[in-house]
Amino acid sequence: MTEATVIDGKAFAAALRERIGVAAAGFAAQTGRRPGLAVVLVGEDPASQVYVGAKGKACEAAGMASFEHRLPADTSEAALLSLVERLNNDPEVDGILVQLPLPSGLNEQAIIAAINPDKDVDGFHVINAGRLAVGQRGFVPCTPLGCLMLLKDHLGDLSGLEAVVIGRSNIVGKPMAQLLTDANATVTIAHSRTKNLPDVVRRADIVVAAVGRPEMVRGDWIKPGATVIDVGINRLPPEEGKEKGRLVGDVAYGEACAVAGAITPVPGGVGPMTIAVLLRNTLVAAHHNAGMPAPEGL
Ligand code: GUN
């Protein structure tokens, strides 16, 4: 048995960011302003601080303006809603991202609902979830859209393929299933109550694992030759003498590599795609806001 092809999300994301940079420069030349993304972070969650920093840097590197708003953990819902309203009305801001999770006491649904859907580059607003559900143009959540790009790049046409999405979150599982359905795959959403999960996964030509449980999907669950997309990023407890534990996905990578046709690694697979797609969505938002057609081929 040959080893699986490793799907290099890092390289794909770098190439996408390059194309976005070119398009962003074109936008700036035509309009006299850069596409702009506002990122709001409430509180001091360490992982969120890292993500928000990375998003700001990626924006600047692609020739976009980044507006960072870091607020204390005890920020009131009224203050946060008022900031969102200000960003909705700011013509320099094309995209708004409120980093989740929010500190307890802040109603995430209420905050997301306050974002102008045409600036909701995360695709979390119910209007955008609804647009995706009925096949209208709108913003699609970055991680599943990134996964779809990798799948299409690797497999080409997905028509008629059996896809199993493990996980039913609003951010990944549900939109992923819709995107795969729209791409004419036959889709099953599996979750914590699914019976005989290994057997369900075994019939899949495409497996998307988004459960947040380290190495849950074992090699013997994978159909030989299947394409495996691992959305999980889990840190294991540190080994003896080490400060930090290893990062692993939701798939037992070594085992799956021996069976799958292709697989995304962790890190370096899906992760880099999320920020690249966020930049893409911001660029598209900027074009809409300026009354210009969205650039093709992104
Ligand atoms: N927290 C973890 N991932 C995300 C994301 O894609 N968007 C937002 N807003 N928060 C997150």
Side-chain angles (χ1 to χ4, degrees), residues 147-148 151-152 155-166 176 180 183 185-188 200-201 203-209 222-223 225-229 262:
C147 293
L148 186 76
L151 281 166
K152 284 190 166 169
L155 291 169
D157 186 10
L158 309 185
S159 289
L161 295 180
E162 286 276 350
V164 172
V165 178
I166 316 171
M176 186 76 246
L180 287 164
T186 303
V187 183
T188 302
V200 172
V201 174
R203 45 172 212 252
D205 304 303
I206 295 170
V207 181
V208 180
I222 306 291
K223 173 170 155 179
T227 302
V228 179
I229 303 291

PDB file of all heavy atoms in Angstrom, residues 147-148 151-152 155-166 176 180 183 185-188 200-201 203-209 222-223 225-229 262:
ATOM      1  N   CYS A 147     -11.863  24.155   3.133  1.00  0.00           N
ATOM      2  CA  CYS A 147     -11.844  22.689   2.933  1.00  0.00           C
ATOM      3  C   CYS A 147     -12.348  22.342   1.532  1.00  0.00           C
ATOM      4  O   CYS A 147     -11.780  21.470   0.858  1.00  0.00           O
ATOM      5  CB  CYS A 147     -12.734  21.991   3.961  1.00  0.00           C
ATOM      6  SG  CYS A 147     -12.141  22.097   5.650  1.00  0.00           S
ATOM      7  N   LEU A 148     -13.424  23.006   1.108  1.00  0.00           N
ATOM      8  CA  LEU A 148     -13.975  22.729  -0.229  1.00  0.00           C
ATOM      9  C   LEU A 148     -12.948  23.064  -1.314  1.00  0.00           C
ATOM     10  O   LEU A 148     -12.793  22.318  -2.288  1.00  0.00           O
ATOM     11  CB  LEU A 148     -15.265  23.525  -0.459  1.00  0.00           C
ATOM     12  CG  LEU A 148     -15.955  23.178  -1.770  1.00  0.00           C
ATOM     13  CD1 LEU A 148     -16.677  21.843  -1.660  1.00  0.00           C
ATOM     14  CD2 LEU A 148     -16.930  24.260  -2.211  1.00  0.00           C
ATOM     15  N   LEU A 151     -10.475  20.295  -1.469  1.00  0.00           N
ATOM     16  CA  LEU A 151     -11.057  19.088  -2.065  1.00  0.00           C
ATOM     17  C   LEU A 151     -11.167  19.218  -3.575  1.00  0.00           C
ATOM     18  O   LEU A 151     -10.818  18.296  -4.320  1.00  0.00           O
ATOM     19  CB  LEU A 151     -12.446  18.827  -1.464  1.00  0.00           C
ATOM     20  CG  LEU A 151     -12.448  18.179  -0.078  1.00  0.00           C
ATOM     21  CD1 LEU A 151     -13.825  18.271   0.560  1.00  0.00           C
ATOM     22  CD2 LEU A 151     -11.993  16.719  -0.178  1.00  0.00           C
ATOM     23  N   LYS A 152     -11.656  20.383  -4.035  1.00  0.00           N
ATOM     24  CA  LYS A 152     -11.822  20.560  -5.486  1.00  0.00           C
ATOM     25  C   LYS A 152     -10.465  20.596  -6.174  1.00  0.00           C
ATOM     26  O   LYS A 152     -10.310  20.096  -7.285  1.00  0.00           O
ATOM     27  CB  LYS A 152     -12.594  21.846  -5.771  1.00  0.00           C
ATOM     28  CG  LYS A 152     -14.076  21.694  -5.501  1.00  0.00           C
ATOM     29  CD  LYS A 152     -14.829  22.896  -6.032  1.00  0.00           C
ATOM     30  CE  LYS A 152     -16.321  22.624  -6.091  1.00  0.00           C
ATOM     31  NZ  LYS A 152     -17.080  23.848  -6.362  1.00  0.00           N
ATOM     32  N   LEU A 155      -9.404  16.776  -6.032  1.00  0.00           N
ATOM     33  CA  LEU A 155     -10.244  15.757  -6.680  1.00  0.00           C
ATOM     34  C   LEU A 155     -10.900  16.229  -7.968  1.00  0.00           C
ATOM     35  O   LEU A 155     -11.404  15.418  -8.733  1.00  0.00           O
ATOM     36  CB  LEU A 155     -11.354  15.307  -5.703  1.00  0.00           C
ATOM     37  CG  LEU A 155     -10.911  14.501  -4.477  1.00  0.00           C
ATOM     38  CD1 LEU A 155     -12.066  14.369  -3.498  1.00  0.00           C
ATOM     39  CD2 LEU A 155     -10.407  13.118  -4.897  1.00  0.00           C
ATOM     40  N   GLY A 156     -10.943  17.548  -8.181  1.00  0.00           N
ATOM     41  CA  GLY A 156     -11.696  18.057  -9.330  1.00  0.00           C
ATOM     42  C   GLY A 156     -13.179  17.968  -9.033  1.00  0.00           C
ATOM     43  O   GLY A 156     -13.647  18.453  -8.006  1.00  0.00           O
ATOM     44  N   ASP A 157     -13.913  17.263  -9.903  1.00  0.00           N
ATOM     45  CA  ASP A 157     -15.371  17.152  -9.767  1.00  0.00           C
ATOM     46  C   ASP A 157     -15.731  16.229  -8.591  1.00  0.00           C
ATOM     47  O   ASP A 157     -15.218  15.114  -8.497  1.00  0.00           O
ATOM     48  CB  ASP A 157     -15.904  16.576 -11.087  1.00  0.00           C
ATOM     49  CG  ASP A 157     -17.414  16.544 -11.126  1.00  0.00           C
ATOM     50  OD1 ASP A 157     -18.059  17.129 -10.225  1.00  0.00           O
ATOM     51  OD2 ASP A 157     -17.950  15.928 -12.071  1.00  0.00           O
ATOM     52  N   LEU A 158     -16.608  16.703  -7.704  1.00  0.00           N
ATOM     53  CA  LEU A 158     -17.000  15.886  -6.546  1.00  0.00           C
ATOM     54  C   LEU A 158     -18.324  15.145  -6.779  1.00  0.00           C
ATOM     55  O   LEU A 158     -18.822  14.454  -5.884  1.00  0.00           O
ATOM     56  CB  LEU A 158     -17.138  16.770  -5.293  1.00  0.00           C
ATOM     57  CG  LEU A 158     -15.966  17.707  -4.947  1.00  0.00           C
ATOM     58  CD1 LEU A 158     -16.228  18.401  -3.615  1.00  0.00           C
ATOM     59  CD2 LEU A 158     -14.637  16.954  -4.893  1.00  0.00           C
ATOM     60  N   SER A 159     -18.878  15.283  -7.976  1.00  0.00           N
ATOM     61  CA  SER A 159     -20.202  14.704  -8.280  1.00  0.00           C
ATOM     62  C   SER A 159     -20.277  13.228  -7.948  1.00  0.00           C
ATOM     63  O   SER A 159     -19.427  12.443  -8.384  1.00  0.00           O
ATOM     64  CB  SER A 159     -20.521  14.822  -9.774  1.00  0.00           C
ATOM     65  OG  SER A 159     -20.775  16.131 -10.110  1.00  0.00           O
ATOM     66  N   GLY A 160     -21.309  12.894  -7.190  1.00  0.00           N
ATOM     67  CA  GLY A 160     -21.594  11.489  -6.918  1.00  0.00           C
ATOM     68  C   GLY A 160     -20.709  10.852  -5.871  1.00  0.00           C
ATOM     69  O   GLY A 160     -20.929   9.692  -5.496  1.00  0.00           O
ATOM     70  N   LEU A 161     -19.729  11.586  -5.362  1.00  0.00           N
ATOM     71  CA  LEU A 161     -18.863  10.985  -4.341  1.00  0.00           C
ATOM     72  C   LEU A 161     -19.607  10.937  -3.004  1.00  0.00           C
ATOM     73  O   LEU A 161     -20.427  11.806  -2.703  1.00  0.00           O
ATOM     74  CB  LEU A 161     -17.570  11.794  -4.190  1.00  0.00           C
ATOM     75  CG  LEU A 161     -16.651  11.806  -5.417  1.00  0.00           C
ATOM     76  CD1 LEU A 161     -15.393  12.641  -5.149  1.00  0.00           C
ATOM     77  CD2 LEU A 161     -16.250  10.383  -5.806  1.00  0.00           C
ATOM     78  N   GLU A 162     -19.309   9.921  -2.215  1.00  0.00           N
ATOM     79  CA  GLU A 162     -19.883   9.794  -0.863  1.00  0.00           C
ATOM     80  C   GLU A 162     -19.029  10.611   0.102  1.00  0.00           C
ATOM     81  O   GLU A 162     -17.823  10.363   0.223  1.00  0.00           O
ATOM     82  CB  GLU A 162     -19.824   8.337  -0.397  1.00  0.00           C
ATOM     83  CG  GLU A 162     -20.820   7.413  -1.052  1.00  0.00           C
ATOM     84  CD  GLU A 162     -22.193   7.443  -0.375  1.00  0.00           C
ATOM     85  OE1 GLU A 162     -22.334   8.032   0.727  1.00  0.00           O
ATOM     86  OE2 GLU A 162     -23.126   6.903  -0.977  1.00  0.00           O
ATOM     87  N   ALA A 163     -19.641  11.581   0.764  1.00  0.00           N
ATOM     88  CA  ALA A 163     -18.908  12.400   1.728  1.00  0.00           C
ATOM     89  C   ALA A 163     -19.504  12.211   3.117  1.00  0.00           C
ATOM     90  O   ALA A 163     -20.730  12.210   3.269  1.00  0.00           O
ATOM     91  CB  ALA A 163     -18.980  13.871   1.328  1.00  0.00           C
ATOM     92  N   VAL A 164     -18.661  12.027   4.108  1.00  0.00           N
ATOM     93  CA  VAL A 164     -19.130  11.981   5.498  1.00  0.00           C
ATOM     94  C   VAL A 164     -18.469  13.122   6.255  1.00  0.00           C
ATOM     95  O   VAL A 164     -17.235  13.226   6.282  1.00  0.00           O
ATOM     96  CB  VAL A 164     -18.810  10.623   6.161  1.00  0.00           C
ATOM     97  CG1 VAL A 164     -19.126  10.673   7.655  1.00  0.00           C
ATOM     98  CG2 VAL A 164     -19.608   9.514   5.490  1.00  0.00           C
ATOM     99  N   VAL A 165     -19.304  13.988   6.808  1.00  0.00           N
ATOM    100  CA  VAL A 165     -18.823  15.102   7.626  1.00  0.00           C
ATOM    101  C   VAL A 165     -19.050  14.701   9.076  1.00  0.00           C
ATOM    102  O   VAL A 165     -20.194  14.398   9.457  1.00  0.00           O
ATOM    103  CB  VAL A 165     -19.599  16.402   7.305  1.00  0.00           C
ATOM    104  CG1 VAL A 165     -19.129  17.542   8.197  1.00  0.00           C
ATOM    105  CG2 VAL A 165     -19.444  16.764   5.831  1.00  0.00           C
ATOM    106  N   ILE A 166     -17.995  14.659   9.862  1.00  0.00           N
ATOM    107  CA  ILE A 166     -18.167  14.297  11.279  1.00  0.00           C
ATOM    108  C   ILE A 166     -18.136  15.585  12.084  1.00  0.00           C
ATOM    109  O   ILE A 166     -17.112  16.276  12.134  1.00  0.00           O
ATOM    110  CB  ILE A 166     -17.051  13.338  11.756  1.00  0.00           C
ATOM    111  CG1 ILE A 166     -16.786  12.247  10.719  1.00  0.00           C
ATOM    112  CG2 ILE A 166     -17.423  12.718  13.092  1.00  0.00           C
ATOM    113  CD1 ILE A 166     -15.560  11.402  11.044  1.00  0.00           C
ATOM    114  N   MET A 176     -20.274  22.915   5.856  1.00  0.00           N
ATOM    115  CA  MET A 176     -19.470  21.981   5.044  1.00  0.00           C
ATOM    116  C   MET A 176     -20.403  21.030   4.296  1.00  0.00           C
ATOM    117  O   MET A 176     -20.209  20.757   3.100  1.00  0.00           O
ATOM    118  CB  MET A 176     -18.530  21.190   5.976  1.00  0.00           C
ATOM    119  CG  MET A 176     -17.551  20.305   5.257  1.00  0.00           C
ATOM    120  SD  MET A 176     -16.208  21.253   4.551  1.00  0.00           S
ATOM    121  CE  MET A 176     -16.440  21.044   2.822  1.00  0.00           C
ATOM    122  N   LEU A 180     -20.765  20.679   0.215  1.00  0.00           N
ATOM    123  CA  LEU A 180     -20.543  19.401  -0.472  1.00  0.00           C
ATOM    124  C   LEU A 180     -21.796  18.977  -1.245  1.00  0.00           C
ATOM    125  O   LEU A 180     -21.696  18.444  -2.352  1.00  0.00           O
ATOM    126  CB  LEU A 180     -20.143  18.320   0.543  1.00  0.00           C
ATOM    127  CG  LEU A 180     -18.721  18.459   1.102  1.00  0.00           C
ATOM    128  CD1 LEU A 180     -18.539  17.612   2.363  1.00  0.00           C
ATOM    129  CD2 LEU A 180     -17.687  18.052   0.043  1.00  0.00           C
ATOM    130  N   ALA A 183     -21.963  20.813  -4.307  1.00  0.00           N
ATOM    131  CA  ALA A 183     -20.973  20.305  -5.262  1.00  0.00           C
ATOM    132  C   ALA A 183     -21.345  18.902  -5.754  1.00  0.00           C
ATOM    133  O   ALA A 183     -20.517  18.212  -6.360  1.00  0.00           O
ATOM    134  CB  ALA A 183     -19.585  20.291  -4.614  1.00  0.00           C
ATOM    135  N   ALA A 185     -21.974  16.109  -4.141  1.00  0.00           N
ATOM    136  CA  ALA A 185     -21.603  14.910  -3.395  1.00  0.00           C
ATOM    137  C   ALA A 185     -22.843  14.374  -2.679  1.00  0.00           C
ATOM    138  O   ALA A 185     -23.827  15.096  -2.509  1.00  0.00           O
ATOM    139  CB  ALA A 185     -20.509  15.250  -2.382  1.00  0.00           C
ATOM    140  N   THR A 186     -22.784  13.113  -2.263  1.00  0.00           N
ATOM    141  CA  THR A 186     -23.850  12.520  -1.447  1.00  0.00           C
ATOM    142  C   THR A 186     -23.366  12.587  -0.006  1.00  0.00           C
ATOM    143  O   THR A 186     -22.355  11.983   0.333  1.00  0.00           O
ATOM    144  CB  THR A 186     -24.085  11.052  -1.880  1.00  0.00           C
ATOM    145  OG1 THR A 186     -24.402  11.057  -3.269  1.00  0.00           O
ATOM    146  CG2 THR A 186     -25.202  10.419  -1.085  1.00  0.00           C
ATOM    147  N   VAL A 187     -24.089  13.350   0.815  1.00  0.00           N
ATOM    148  CA  VAL A 187     -23.499  13.782   2.087  1.00  0.00           C
ATOM    149  C   VAL A 187     -24.215  13.187   3.297  1.00  0.00           C
ATOM    150  O   VAL A 187     -25.443  13.196   3.373  1.00  0.00           O
ATOM    151  CB  VAL A 187     -23.540  15.325   2.191  1.00  0.00           C
ATOM    152  CG1 VAL A 187     -22.870  15.786   3.480  1.00  0.00           C
ATOM    153  CG2 VAL A 187     -22.852  15.961   0.985  1.00  0.00           C
ATOM    154  N   THR A 188     -23.431  12.701   4.228  1.00  0.00           N
ATOM    155  CA  THR A 188     -23.934  12.271   5.533  1.00  0.00           C
ATOM    156  C   THR A 188     -23.297  13.153   6.594  1.00  0.00           C
ATOM    157  O   THR A 188     -22.080  13.376   6.546  1.00  0.00           O
ATOM    158  CB  THR A 188     -23.525  10.800   5.809  1.00  0.00           C
ATOM    159  OG1 THR A 188     -24.044   9.979   4.765  1.00  0.00           O
ATOM    160  CG2 THR A 188     -24.035  10.317   7.160  1.00  0.00           C
ATOM    161  N   VAL A 200     -19.986   4.021   9.188  1.00  0.00           N
ATOM    162  CA  VAL A 200     -20.468   5.148   8.379  1.00  0.00           C
ATOM    163  C   VAL A 200     -19.285   5.788   7.658  1.00  0.00           C
ATOM    164  O   VAL A 200     -19.337   6.075   6.461  1.00  0.00           O
ATOM    165  CB  VAL A 200     -21.196   6.183   9.280  1.00  0.00           C
ATOM    166  CG1 VAL A 200     -21.525   7.448   8.494  1.00  0.00           C
ATOM    167  CG2 VAL A 200     -22.467   5.577   9.863  1.00  0.00           C
ATOM    168  N   VAL A 201     -18.188   5.982   8.384  1.00  0.00           N
ATOM    169  CA  VAL A 201     -17.008   6.629   7.789  1.00  0.00           C
ATOM    170  C   VAL A 201     -16.407   5.734   6.704  1.00  0.00           C
ATOM    171  O   VAL A 201     -15.923   6.232   5.684  1.00  0.00           O
ATOM    172  CB  VAL A 201     -15.974   6.975   8.885  1.00  0.00           C
ATOM    173  CG1 VAL A 201     -14.691   7.521   8.274  1.00  0.00           C
ATOM    174  CG2 VAL A 201     -16.569   7.989   9.871  1.00  0.00           C
ATOM    175  N   ARG A 203     -17.707   4.114   4.430  1.00  0.00           N
ATOM    176  CA  ARG A 203     -18.263   4.172   3.068  1.00  0.00           C
ATOM    177  C   ARG A 203     -17.904   5.476   2.357  1.00  0.00           C
ATOM    178  O   ARG A 203     -18.264   5.686   1.200  1.00  0.00           O
ATOM    179  CB  ARG A 203     -19.767   3.955   3.046  1.00  0.00           C
ATOM    180  CG  ARG A 203     -20.597   4.674   4.049  1.00  0.00           C
ATOM    181  CD  ARG A 203     -22.091   4.450   3.715  1.00  0.00           C
ATOM    182  NE  ARG A 203     -22.834   5.618   4.111  1.00  0.00           N
ATOM    183  CZ  ARG A 203     -23.653   5.658   5.151  1.00  0.00           C
ATOM    184  NH1 ARG A 203     -23.839   4.577   5.873  1.00  0.00           N
ATOM    185  NH2 ARG A 203     -24.275   6.773   5.453  1.00  0.00           N
ATOM    186  N   ALA A 204     -17.137   6.346   3.023  1.00  0.00           N
ATOM    187  CA  ALA A 204     -16.904   7.684   2.468  1.00  0.00           C
ATOM    188  C   ALA A 204     -15.710   7.738   1.516  1.00  0.00           C
ATOM    189  O   ALA A 204     -14.630   7.239   1.818  1.00  0.00           O
ATOM    190  CB  ALA A 204     -16.675   8.669   3.599  1.00  0.00           C
ATOM    191  N   ASP A 205     -15.952   8.394   0.367  1.00  0.00           N
ATOM    192  CA  ASP A 205     -14.833   8.760  -0.514  1.00  0.00           C
ATOM    193  C   ASP A 205     -14.155  10.014   0.021  1.00  0.00           C
ATOM    194  O   ASP A 205     -12.988  10.253  -0.263  1.00  0.00           O
ATOM    195  CB  ASP A 205     -15.354   9.068  -1.929  1.00  0.00           C
ATOM    196  CG  ASP A 205     -16.141   7.907  -2.516  1.00  0.00           C
ATOM    197  OD1 ASP A 205     -15.574   6.805  -2.592  1.00  0.00           O
ATOM    198  OD2 ASP A 205     -17.325   8.100  -2.867  1.00  0.00           O
ATOM    199  N   ILE A 206     -14.945  10.839   0.732  1.00  0.00           N
ATOM    200  CA  ILE A 206     -14.433  12.074   1.333  1.00  0.00           C
ATOM    201  C   ILE A 206     -14.815  12.056   2.807  1.00  0.00           C
ATOM    202  O   ILE A 206     -15.996  11.893   3.141  1.00  0.00           O
ATOM    203  CB  ILE A 206     -15.081  13.320   0.669  1.00  0.00           C
ATOM    204  CG1 ILE A 206     -14.680  13.425  -0.798  1.00  0.00           C
ATOM    205  CG2 ILE A 206     -14.727  14.596   1.430  1.00  0.00           C
ATOM    206  CD1 ILE A 206     -15.473  14.479  -1.575  1.00  0.00           C
ATOM    207  N   VAL A 207     -13.831  12.236   3.683  1.00  0.00           N
ATOM    208  CA  VAL A 207     -14.109  12.338   5.118  1.00  0.00           C
ATOM    209  C   VAL A 207     -13.673  13.723   5.575  1.00  0.00           C
ATOM    210  O   VAL A 207     -12.534  14.123   5.334  1.00  0.00           O
ATOM    211  CB  VAL A 207     -13.308  11.283   5.930  1.00  0.00           C
ATOM    212  CG1 VAL A 207     -13.637  11.400   7.420  1.00  0.00           C
ATOM    213  CG2 VAL A 207     -13.565   9.878   5.422  1.00  0.00           C
ATOM    214  N   VAL A 208     -14.583  14.458   6.210  1.00  0.00           N
ATOM    215  CA  VAL A 208     -14.213  15.736   6.820  1.00  0.00           C
ATOM    216  C   VAL A 208     -14.431  15.579   8.321  1.00  0.00           C
ATOM    217  O   VAL A 208     -15.560  15.364   8.772  1.00  0.00           O
ATOM    218  CB  VAL A 208     -15.051  16.915   6.282  1.00  0.00           C
ATOM    219  CG1 VAL A 208     -14.615  18.216   6.949  1.00  0.00           C
ATOM    220  CG2 VAL A 208     -14.916  17.025   4.765  1.00  0.00           C
ATOM    221  N   ALA A 209     -13.350  15.636   9.088  1.00  0.00           N
ATOM    222  CA  ALA A 209     -13.442  15.428  10.540  1.00  0.00           C
ATOM    223  C   ALA A 209     -13.364  16.769  11.240  1.00  0.00           C
ATOM    224  O   ALA A 209     -12.366  17.483  11.124  1.00  0.00           O
ATOM    225  CB  ALA A 209     -12.313  14.508  11.002  1.00  0.00           C
ATOM    226  N   ILE A 222     -11.093   4.242   7.602  1.00  0.00           N
ATOM    227  CA  ILE A 222     -10.958   4.949   6.325  1.00  0.00           C
ATOM    228  C   ILE A 222     -11.042   3.948   5.177  1.00  0.00           C
ATOM    229  O   ILE A 222     -10.360   2.919   5.186  1.00  0.00           O
ATOM    230  CB  ILE A 222      -9.591   5.687   6.248  1.00  0.00           C
ATOM    231  CG1 ILE A 222      -9.389   6.610   7.461  1.00  0.00           C
ATOM    232  CG2 ILE A 222      -9.428   6.442   4.933  1.00  0.00           C
ATOM    233  CD1 ILE A 222     -10.289   7.809   7.523  1.00  0.00           C
ATOM    234  N   LYS A 223     -11.856   4.298   4.185  1.00  0.00           N
ATOM    235  CA  LYS A 223     -11.930   3.466   2.966  1.00  0.00           C
ATOM    236  C   LYS A 223     -10.632   3.644   2.191  1.00  0.00           C
ATOM    237  O   LYS A 223     -10.164   4.792   2.022  1.00  0.00           O
ATOM    238  CB  LYS A 223     -13.113   3.956   2.147  1.00  0.00           C
ATOM    239  CG  LYS A 223     -13.289   3.359   0.784  1.00  0.00           C
ATOM    240  CD  LYS A 223     -14.648   3.813   0.261  1.00  0.00           C
ATOM    241  CE  LYS A 223     -14.727   3.823  -1.237  1.00  0.00           C
ATOM    242  NZ  LYS A 223     -16.070   4.240  -1.679  1.00  0.00           N
ATOM    243  N   GLY A 225      -7.999   4.659  -0.257  1.00  0.00           N
ATOM    244  CA  GLY A 225      -8.014   5.650  -1.343  1.00  0.00           C
ATOM    245  C   GLY A 225      -8.829   6.899  -1.048  1.00  0.00           C
ATOM    246  O   GLY A 225      -8.836   7.839  -1.850  1.00  0.00           O
ATOM    247  N   ALA A 226      -9.530   6.947   0.092  1.00  0.00           N
ATOM    248  CA  ALA A 226     -10.391   8.105   0.402  1.00  0.00           C
ATOM    249  C   ALA A 226      -9.555   9.366   0.629  1.00  0.00           C
ATOM    250  O   ALA A 226      -8.361   9.301   0.916  1.00  0.00           O
ATOM    251  CB  ALA A 226     -11.220   7.812   1.650  1.00  0.00           C
ATOM    252  N   THR A 227     -10.228  10.514   0.471  1.00  0.00           N
ATOM    253  CA  THR A 227      -9.594  11.815   0.738  1.00  0.00           C
ATOM    254  C   THR A 227     -10.047  12.282   2.117  1.00  0.00           C
ATOM    255  O   THR A 227     -11.249  12.345   2.390  1.00  0.00           O
ATOM    256  CB  THR A 227     -10.007  12.836  -0.340  1.00  0.00           C
ATOM    257  OG1 THR A 227      -9.623  12.313  -1.610  1.00  0.00           O
ATOM    258  CG2 THR A 227      -9.326  14.183  -0.114  1.00  0.00           C
ATOM    259  N   VAL A 228      -9.088  12.578   2.971  1.00  0.00           N
ATOM    260  CA  VAL A 228      -9.387  12.891   4.380  1.00  0.00           C
ATOM    261  C   VAL A 228      -9.001  14.333   4.684  1.00  0.00           C
ATOM    262  O   VAL A 228      -7.851  14.739   4.481  1.00  0.00           O
ATOM    263  CB  VAL A 228      -8.615  11.923   5.317  1.00  0.00           C
ATOM    264  CG1 VAL A 228      -8.900  12.264   6.780  1.00  0.00           C
ATOM    265  CG2 VAL A 228      -8.984  10.476   5.023  1.00  0.00           C
ATOM    266  N   ILE A 229      -9.979  15.096   5.134  1.00  0.00           N
ATOM    267  CA  ILE A 229      -9.758  16.499   5.494  1.00  0.00           C
ATOM    268  C   ILE A 229      -9.908  16.601   7.008  1.00  0.00           C
ATOM    269  O   ILE A 229     -10.994  16.366   7.555  1.00  0.00           O
ATOM    270  CB  ILE A 229     -10.786  17.419   4.789  1.00  0.00           C
ATOM    271  CG1 ILE A 229     -10.741  17.254   3.273  1.00  0.00           C
ATOM    272  CG2 ILE A 229     -10.575  18.875   5.206  1.00  0.00           C
ATOM    273  CD1 ILE A 229      -9.501  17.778   2.588  1.00  0.00           C
ATOM    274  N   ALA A 262      -5.413  10.539   0.033  1.00  0.00           N
ATOM    275  CA  ALA A 262      -4.850  11.867   0.304  1.00  0.00           C
ATOM    276  C   ALA A 262      -5.354  12.339   1.653  1.00  0.00           C
ATOM    277  O   ALA A 262      -6.448  11.966   2.097  1.00  0.00           O
ATOM    278  CB  ALA A 262      -5.278  12.857  -0.780  1.00  0.00           C
TER     279      ALA A 262
END
